Amino acid sequence: MTSTEDSQGDFETIARSTVPSDLEIIKALLESERIPAFIVDGGINQVYSLIAVATGGARLQVASRHVEAARQILTAFEAGQLALDDDVDVADEEPDPAPDKRRSRAFGAAILVFLGGG
């Protein structure tokens, strides 16, 4: 089969796992870097986990033109280079107060209209 300029071409497997949810994490990481990826046989291996070993597990595939970039990201991920620092606590960050003020003003206005004061 030949590919044309408009088609995405061939796909290559860059990772395998008997636990498809592990591949979902890598897929999300690749897609955040604008590399389209998809999982082959993820559903069947999730439902019938006993055959996952026999079938080689689920496969994460990307278009051939993205393989090199995807493998670099996968290598960085596996080496722990993309992990968050243990010191960072997302809950400590203060949210932007502007949406809360707008929400409270809208709620106040709705109460006034409901009570007939607006």
Side-chain angles (χ1 to χ4, degrees):
M1 182 170 128
T2 61
S3 64
T4 63
E5 291 295 320
D6 294 335
S7 71
Q8 290 191 0
D10 296 329
F11 292 88
E12 293 186 35
T13 299
I14 62 163
R16 284 182 177 267
S17 178
T18 56
V19 182
S21 56
D22 290 346
L23 295 178
E24 290 288 346
I25 295 168
I26 300 168
K27 177 183 175 217
L29 176 63
L30 291 173
E31 289 176 343
S32 74
E33 295 292 328
R34 298 181 186 227
I35 298 175
F38 64 96
I39 297 173
V40 178
D41 297 333
I44 194 75
N45 284 300
Q46 190 106 24
V47 173
Y48 299 106
S49 59
L50 295 176
I51 67 166
V53 175
T55 62
R59 298 170 287 154
L60 180 66
Q61 293 191 334
V62 298
S64 297
R65 63 188 169 134
H66 296 294
V67 168
E68 188 173 328
R71 285 196 174 133
Q72 289 176 352
I73 292 169
L74 183 59
T75 301
F77 176 74
E78 290 173 344
Q81 296 173 353
L82 303 178
L84 292 175
D85 292 334
D86 290 336
D87 300 357
V88 176
D89 188 5
V90 178
D92 288 342
E93 295 179 14
E94 293 184 26
D96 183 17
D100 292 334
K101 287 182 181 178
R102 286 192 301 263
R103 187 176 304 131
S104 63
R105 281 190 221 130
F107 181 72
I111 293 294
L112 285 175
V113 169
F114 179 74
L115 294 176

